[in-house]
Amino acid sequence: MNDVLQIRGLRKSFGRGGRVVHANAGVDLTVAPGQVVGLLGHNGAGKSTLVNQVVGLLRPDSGTVVVDGVDAIARPALARRMVSVQAQANVPITGLSPRTAIELVGRMRGGATGAMRARATELIDALDLGDWAATPSQKVSGGIARLTAFAMTAIVPGRLVVLDEPTNDVDPVRRRLLWGEIRRLADDGAGVLLVTHNVREAERVVDDLVILDHGVVVAADSPGALVRSRAGRLVLEVDLIAGVDPGWLDGDHPVLRGATHASLAVSADRAAEIVAWATARVADDRIERYALSPASLEDIYIDIVSQPEEVAA
């Protein structure tokens, strides 16, 4: 089965403040039908620039973008017909209720009125939007507006669905419902490109992760494979006592440290030494408590993007 998105050697640079910024520096990325691919990176990593080139809002300096077999650079209007996009900024729907906006987009994408009414009800129920379905959009919260924007994207999904930070402003309960609907889009046959900087949330739903840093793909694999690639890493979490120096072990320094908590990345071969040190510190009232656990995907992500930056050719 053909990929619904294939990006090869994508490059886009901008002049900024007298210097050249490589927003995308030779990016390769593939999304297959039925797959959720997470595009992960910090703010400014080049994620939105890449999305804008996929949908034809920006022209690459070089490289190829193919959407469901269509050259998106040579034929951007045709390629856009294959794509449903939830942009990072919510679509202004002032004067419309969420239900009306969702149904309207469905009809604009060719759906029959009755079918779109039923599909809108299905999405409203799945996302727990019933209490706001008939409320004018200017009176709903940012989270409800965000969920409405997702439903507008999902009512008649394209072969490729692009979701740019879809969980922004969404409360934790409805966020879980949203992840379920994102997964369902892929299970029903769409390819989903999920753009996010939230590592923990992305891990729940994606099949593969592409990590972008300073415009460069620095890692690409399944979440499990990325974690296994650093199987020798452990993380020590320590609850500190205000004003008390715990006396850190030689060679280990806090990766993150606040007034009452610190996290350290340690190698697995030092586990026994670390536990002995932490146990003694608790007994001596130099720390409150500790926990030693395998590195999470978030820990791996921080480790990857903290490596020295390579200069793009």
Side-chain angles (χ1 to χ4, degrees):
M1 190 175 293
N2 293 332
D3 295 326
V4 295
L5 177 63
Q6 189 177 88
I7 296 172
R8 293 291 179 266
L10 193 69
R11 293 180 179 271
K12 184 64 180 179
S13 300
F14 301 95
R16 188 175 300 163
R19 65 190 183 97
V20 176
V21 176
H22 300 289
N24 295 143
V27 173
D28 293 339
L29 187 151
T30 300
V31 181
Q35 185 182 40
V36 180
V37 174
L39 181 60
L40 191 63
H42 54 75
N43 294 332
K47 305 187 300 296
S48 293
T49 298
L50 185 145
V51 168
N52 286 339
Q53 291 169 94
V54 170
V55 298
L57 297 179
L58 281 176
R59 187 176 181 84
D61 297 332
S62 62
T64 60
V65 179
V66 178
V67 177
D68 200 23
V70 176
D71 185 332
I73 300 173
R75 307 180 72 187
L78 180 58
R80 274 196 295 272
R81 296 179 193 173
M82 316 293 180
V83 185
S84 298
V85 181
Q86 180 182 0
Q88 194 170 50
N90 284 336
V91 178
I93 54 172
T94 303
L96 301 177
S97 68
R99 178 183 293 278
T100 300
I102 296 165
E103 291 182 16
L104 181 60
V105 169
R107 293 200 300 272
M108 290 171 64
R109 290 186 67 88
T113 299
M116 293 304 94
R117 186 176 298 122
R119 173 63 174 152
T121 297
E122 179 184 332
L123 286 164
I124 287 166
D125 290 344
L127 298 170
D128 192 23
L129 293 176
D131 289 344
W132 293 273
T135 304
S137 64
Q138 60 269 30
K139 295 183 179 180
V140 304
S141 68
I144 298 303
R146 198 79 185 137
L147 290 167
T148 300
F150 169 79
M152 292 164 67
T153 304
I155 187 165
V156 181
R159 291 272 292 154
L160 173 66
V161 178
V162 179
L163 305 172
D164 196 347
E165 305 289 359
T167 62
N168 282 358
D169 299 322
V170 178
D171 66 79
V173 173
R174 290 182 179 83
R175 200 177 297 151
R176 289 198 173 192
L177 300 177
L178 176 56
W179 286 125
E181 289 305 300
I182 292 171
R183 184 68 254 175
R184 190 167 292 112
L185 285 173
D187 292 344
D188 288 343
V192 179
L193 179 62
L194 173 66
V195 183
T196 185
H197 62 265
N198 192 318
V199 189
R200 292 182 179 181
E201 290 190 349
E203 186 174 11
R204 296 180 180 180
V205 70
V206 303
D207 300 300
D208 283 317
L209 275 173
V210 175
I211 299 177
L212 200 61
D213 186 36
H214 295 93
V216 177
V217 174
V218 292
D221 214 327
S222 69
L226 288 172
V227 171
R228 287 194 301 273
S229 70
R230 286 163 170 76
R233 289 279 309 283
L234 299 174
V235 175
L236 176 68
E237 304 281 346
V238 179
D239 288 345
L240 303 170
I241 298 174
V244 177
D245 181 1
W248 300 108
L249 282 168
D250 291 341
D252 285 313
H253 302 283
V255 175
L256 298 171
R257 182 171 182 176
T260 61
H261 187 82
S263 298
L264 296 84
V266 298
S267 59
D269 58 9
R270 299 189 68 188
E273 178 188 5
I274 294 294
V275 170
W277 171 87
T279 301
R281 292 305 185 273
V282 170
D284 293 341
D285 292 326
R286 297 182 69 178
I287 63 174
E288 289 280 2
R289 59 179 292 280
Y290 72 93
L292 188 64
S293 60
S296 67
L297 182 61
E298 183 175 46
D299 298 318
I300 301 306
Y301 167 71
I302 292 171
D303 182 54
I304 289 172
V305 300
S306 296
Q307 300 303 314
E309 180 184 353
E310 294 184 8
V311 178

